[in-house]
Amino acid sequence: MREPRWFQWVRGVGLCLLTLFTVIPLYVMVTTSVKPLSDVQDTFQWWPSVLTPQPYVDMWSTVRLADYFVNSVVVSLGAAAFSVLIALFAAYAISRYRFRGRDVFRFTVLSTQMFPGILFLLPLYLIYATVGQATGIVLQGSHIGLIITYLTFSLPFSIWMLVSYFDSIPVDLDEAAFIDGAGPVQTLWRVVIPAAKPGIAAVSIYAFMTAWGETLFASIMTDADSTTLAIGLREYSTQSTVYWNEVMSASLVVSIPVVLGFLALQRYLVQGLTAGAVK
Amino acid sequence: MTVTSTPRAAPTSGAEPNGSRRRRPRLSKRSVPYLLLAPALFFELLVHIVPMLGGLWMSFLRLNQFFLREWMSAPFTGLANYRFALDFDGAAGVELLQSFGVTAAFSVITVGVSWVLGLAAALFLQRSFPGRTLLRGLFLVPYALPIYTSVMIWKFMLDRSDGMVNATLSDLGLGGERFWLLGNNAFLSLTITAVWRLWPFAFLALMAGLQSIPTDIYDAAAVDGAGLWQQIRTITVPMLSPVSQVLILVLFLWTFNDFNVPYLLFDQAVPSSANLISIHIYQNSFLTWNFGLGSAMSTLLLLFLLVITAGYLMLTSRRSRNA
Amino acid sequence: MRHRRLSGVIVLILVLMSSLLAGCAREQDDGRTLTYWASNQGNSPQQDRRILNEEFEKFTARTGIEVNVEVIGWGDLLNKILGSAVSGVGPDVVNLGNTWAASLQATGAFVPFTEERMRQLGGRERFLETSMSSTGMPGRPPSSVPLYGLSYGVFYNKAMFREAGIEQPPSNWSEFVDVARRLTRPSQEQWGMTLAGASYTENAHFAFMLGNQEGAQLFDSDGRATFASPPMVTGVQRYVELMSEYEVVNPDDAEIGSATEAVGNFANGEAGMLVAQNSAIAAIRAAGMADSQWGVFPLPVPEPMPEGGEAVRSHVAGTNIAVYRNSDNKEAAVELVEFLTSAEEQSILNEKYGSLPVVTDAYDNPAFDTKALRTFSSVLAESSKRVPMIPNENRFETTVGAAVRDLFARAGTDRSVSRSDIADALDEAQQKMRSGGGSTR
């Protein structure tokens, strides 16, 4: 497609504005993280009066950042792994089988995306408590409780995306495997999953991020041993002052792995979305 | 969400072009799909469906601090909570209505702006040029940041006395004594923060959509003498509509139910101009311990979203069938 | 064959998950370990944990009971208490803000401190009468006992007072306003006083104190809210006027969401006075202001006193401690309460946290004999009044506190706030409180 001159102008200006919009807050985050506390408490300066690595040192002792980080990693990885695994089975069933209740299931799962978290927060807490009393398995305040909660948050999207992905994989491949005597699990494992790798990557990163950032449920369902970053980072501001510089340095450190992971895998998310939505 | 794949989902497999080729009998053992679905079903029931029904039940109870501990025996009040929430002559009903209006405005503006920005960026980055990959990665960063981080950055920038926004405004001679987290400006702050972290998702989805539009359509249009603007209007946007439909619905549901952004941005002091419905419900249940009323409000919200979504799906699927 | 394999895989997943569950399941209570939810009293949860664990070593050595401490920020504490009250799963012992005492008592989640249990703690008389009045609904055995005592006072910056030629702390409200005006120099970014205008709890406390000084009652004899009475409006007006009318408060303060942020302004020298609880002392020190640089005087009252007004200089502030009804080991839990309210621990903990002992026999410690702490303790013991001990107290804080917050937002954005604006705002709060969605009794 030939681009007229005006479009090149519009593009230049548009990209500049979008870049500014994106970069300025990021710049503020990075520079604030190397400012001394006195700078942060005073009128905003574009450049720190002194560049100091101190916030990066202090942030570990002001709050139990390392523990929170480990908790978040455990919870998010667990939620992502189970979410993907469970979604694979469900998506395979929906994509490859016609059975009674199929549409009901699809619609119900999708409609859970609409549920306001605030509606089922307290009942869910009660259910976890009841399960705990009945079986001795502690769900509220434990990693596993959070994993279960979060895996279902990403499940609808994961299933939906994998279904569209599987739909784009020719059934002939499955049939070839059947003729070779493979069962559904083997077919899923040997044929469908390898062909759907990008979709799986995309779903994994989505599920991970969903769990990584959740605040509302974490605020009630965590205790001292399972506090995640989303809750733990708030401790920088519940003390005698708000340690803005440490908030920013800690946020930066804990965001980098996620951002890098996301950027590395975003291409699969694009492919997944293409396979899904665009058809 | 179901829109795009509805045709495939239709159980009348004979209507599907490849339906006849799919020979199911080999997998006919009835239990197989149910077994495959079992884990998903189990967790959905545990975390979503049963608690949702629980919430529905609670909305008919007088569930306040006197009955919290013995919530099983809280008195049944029928529709009293609903009547109270919807009594638009009383203070509570008016507040709910106002909060609903704020949420609707917030949602529509956030989704609209995110879509426009996402489309613009996707179009701008369609043709390759040096630095394109870099920009693409950069634009996606806000979406990848944890919600807490993005909101705290904005909170820091919007502070009245020491924030970057006011400092810059006063350097430019545009005042700079403004409150961004109080009064009516709070709505703007909330919207900007939400757009900042959501538009990259729109960008990502629309970029994916653009890639699937075959280039020869454009070539054909160019031969017919269509200008670029015309091509965008008559080819790109319509061809993107399946993506857009899903995208807009997803963004709408996310923003309408948004709790984290206002909660983190304003702490517990959410100004009424930014009092989104989730926050309003939170305040009416967790701060006042009136969980019956809070559940009734959430149920109303859920009903509203169901109606809107169903309407939206019917409208868009009819339009795409007509197209 | 195939299907058996499929079932196998599904079963495997479930087994995997449940083994994870089992792995994560906590060890059963042996009855010798107590879980204690401590509120954040010091400068950081970390510091709290250190202080408490140090003391609990003594407790464990004496009784053989282990204590598992979890420090919970004030922002999450009430929600977590609620969650555990509803579910019946929670700690054995918990801290709570003493203004919540009646509301939480209504849930029935806590063990009542009967006469017998009170005797175990050394008797009711050991405790400060005011602090003891804020432990539950009158006429019922308290569901919590005081732990840390707090009261309001006015902190002032000595250097700024000298510089402005103020020799005496103000003795009544109009002198107070006058002093604040003399301290205010907006061009030098110096203000008469600072306050947390966006904090609904702080606002509710001020509405309570100043309203009481004017003779307002929050509830009539039938327990109905009377927030919009003329004396109440006057009380709130006196507070908001500091920003809107006299302009002795930085409009920025309308955005301050917590008392601790206001402490920062005071310690940085941006404000000459700060009305705060004695817990602010630790924060002022932490912010680098030496003890010699500030003084304290009691919150002034109007002169002459309006009809029906009381010389309320603080509400009875502080932290209480309670034992859960669901605790597997109530006796050990009460022992822990006994330990924490003992003269020795009261003296140690309150010194470390900068709060006031709630038992009279802990005041021998010279650390409490400073001029500032004497001021706070005499306010707490003599001129503080408890907030109404009714189950709906929490709703008074949320409704009135939010109304005052909105008034400050208007005052901060250059719009003057008239008396009728205040009356309207309070009237709305009263309506919300009265209607209450079927929750009022």
Side-chain angles (χ1 to χ4, degrees), chain A residues 193-209:
Chain A
I193 290 182
K197 265 186 191 154
I200 295 170
V203 165
S204 314
I205 188 73
Y206 174 80
F208 185 86
M209 284 168 50

Side-chain angles (χ1 to χ4, degrees), chain A residues 1 7 11 21 41-42 44 89 96-97 100 102 110 114 152 160 167 171-172 178 233 269 278, chain B residues 1-2 8-9 21-22 24 27 32 34 36 40 47-48 124 127 148 162 196 204 212 228 257 260:
Chain A
M1 140 171 78
F7 183 74
R11 178 166 69 186
F21 180 52
Q41 288 169 338
D42 214 344
F44 177 80
F89 284 113
R96 293 298 194 256
Y97 293 85
R100 187 179 295 206
R102 179 174 174 273
L110 279 178
M114 268 171 242
T152 56
W160 170 71
D167 281 354
V171 186
D172 303 357
F178 284 135
L233 285 175
L269 199 57
V278 183
Chain B
M1 272 199 178
T2 43
R8 282 183 161 269
R21 274 201 296 119
R22 288 192 184 182
R24 305 275 160 216
L27 303 166
V32 174
Y34 296 108
L36 286 166
V47 179
H48 280 129
F124 292 154
R127 167 175 284 205
Y148 174 85
D162 307 330
W196 190 74
L204 195 66
S212 66
L228 184 74
N257 276 330
N260 292 325

Side-chain angles (χ1 to χ4, degrees), chain A residues 1-4 6-7 10-11 14-15 18-19 21-26 28-29 32 40-44 46 86 89-90 92-100 102-103 105-106 108-116 118-124 126-128 148-149 151-153 155-157 159-160 167 171-172 175 178-179 184 206 209 212-213 215-216 220 230 233-234 237 244 247-248 251 255 258-259 262-263 266 269-270 273-274 276-279, chain B residues 1-2 4-5 8-11 16 21-24 26-27 32-34 36-37 39-41 43-44 46-52 54-55 58 71 117 121 123-127 129 135-149 152-157 162-164 167-168 192 196 199 204-205 207-209 211-212 218-219 228-229 231 242-243 246 253-254 257 259-260 263-264 278 281-282 286 291 295 298-299 301-302 305-306 309:
Chain A
M1 140 171 78
R2 250 195 358 264
E3 288 178 347
W6 66 265
F7 183 74
V10 170
R11 178 166 69 186
L15 284 178
L18 282 172
T19 308
F21 180 52
T22 308
V23 163
I24 287 177
L26 297 176
V28 168
M29 169 162 96
T32 306
V40 205
Q41 288 169 338
D42 214 344
T43 306
F44 177 80
W46 284 100
I86 293 169
F89 284 113
Y92 186 67
I94 293 176
S95 168
R96 293 298 194 256
Y97 293 85
R98 296 291 174 275
F99 54 92
R100 187 179 295 206
R102 179 174 174 273
D103 290 327
F105 177 83
R106 278 171 65 112
T108 313
V109 167
L110 279 178
S111 67
T112 61
Q113 282 288 54
M114 268 171 242
F115 291 7
I118 200 87
L119 173 63
F120 61 95
L121 174 58
L122 189 72
L124 180 64
L126 285 175
I127 289 175
Y128 281 4
I148 291 178
T149 313
L151 82 85
T152 56
F153 285 4
L155 207 48
F157 185 77
I159 294 177
W160 170 71
D167 281 354
V171 186
D172 303 357
E175 308 214 323
F178 284 135
I179 292 164
Y206 174 80
M209 284 168 50
W212 192 257
T215 314
L216 175 62
I220 299 214
L233 285 175
R234 293 202 330 221
S237 55
W244 280 113
V247 172
M248 297 300 168
S251 298
S255 302
V258 193
V259 171
F262 177 73
L263 292 183
Q266 51 91 8
L269 199 57
V270 174
L273 287 168
T274 323
V278 183
K279 293 209 136 353
Chain B
M1 272 199 178
T2 43
T4 49
S5 36
R8 282 183 161 269
E16 278 181 59
R21 274 201 296 119
R22 288 192 184 182
R23 273 177 292 131
R24 305 275 160 216
R26 283 187 157 277
L27 303 166
V32 174
Y34 296 108
L36 286 166
L37 284 182
L41 195 62
F43 288 109
E44 283 299 330
L46 177 73
V47 179
H48 280 129
I49 311 292
V50 175
M52 193 273 285
M58 282 181 179
W71 58 277
L117 291 184
L123 286 173
F124 292 154
L125 292 186
Q126 201 176 7
R127 167 175 284 205
F129 59 86
L135 275 184
R136 192 164 94 159
L138 185 71
F139 288 165
L140 292 176
V141 169
Y143 178 68
L145 285 180
I147 299 178
Y148 174 85
T149 304
M152 284 321 266
I153 298 174
W154 279 96
K155 189 176 163 72
F156 180 66
M157 297 202 305
D162 307 330
M164 168 254 152
T168 311
I192 290 180
W196 190 74
W199 83 268
L204 195 66
M207 199 164 56
Q211 283 174 4
S212 66
Y218 291 112
D219 296 340
L228 184 74
W229 180 242
Q231 289 180 20
V243 187
V246 179
L253 291 176
W254 282 351
N257 276 330
F259 176 84
N260 292 325
Y263 183 70
L264 294 170
S278 299
I281 295 171
Y282 176 81
F286 281 87
F291 288 94
S295 301
S298 326
T299 307
L301 170 61
L302 179 59
L305 291 176
L306 277 173
T309 309

Side-chain angles (χ1 to χ4, degrees), chain B residues 29 32 35-36 43 62 64-66 68-69 84 91 95 159-161 179 182 268-270 282 286 288-290, chain C residues 3 10 78-79 82 85 107-109 198 200 251-252 255 325-326 391 394-395 405 412-413 432 436-439:
Chain B
K29 197 70 180 277
V32 174
L35 271 173
L36 286 166
F43 288 109
R62 197 168 86 189
N64 53 32
Q65 64 258 52
F66 299 102
L68 272 179
R69 220 171 78 87
F84 181 74
E95 266 207 335
D159 187 78
R160 180 182 189 256
S161 50
F179 280 105
L182 283 180
Q268 301 232 330
V270 182
Y282 176 81
F286 281 87
T288 58
W289 303 0
N290 197 339
Chain C
H3 302 119
I10 304 287
L78 188 55
N79 278 354
L82 263 185
T107 67
Y200 75 85
D252 288 347
E255 214 170 73
R325 201 184 278 272
N326 287 82
N394 57 341
R395 305 202 57 217
R405 180 197 72 209
T413 45
K432 273 187 224 161
S439 80

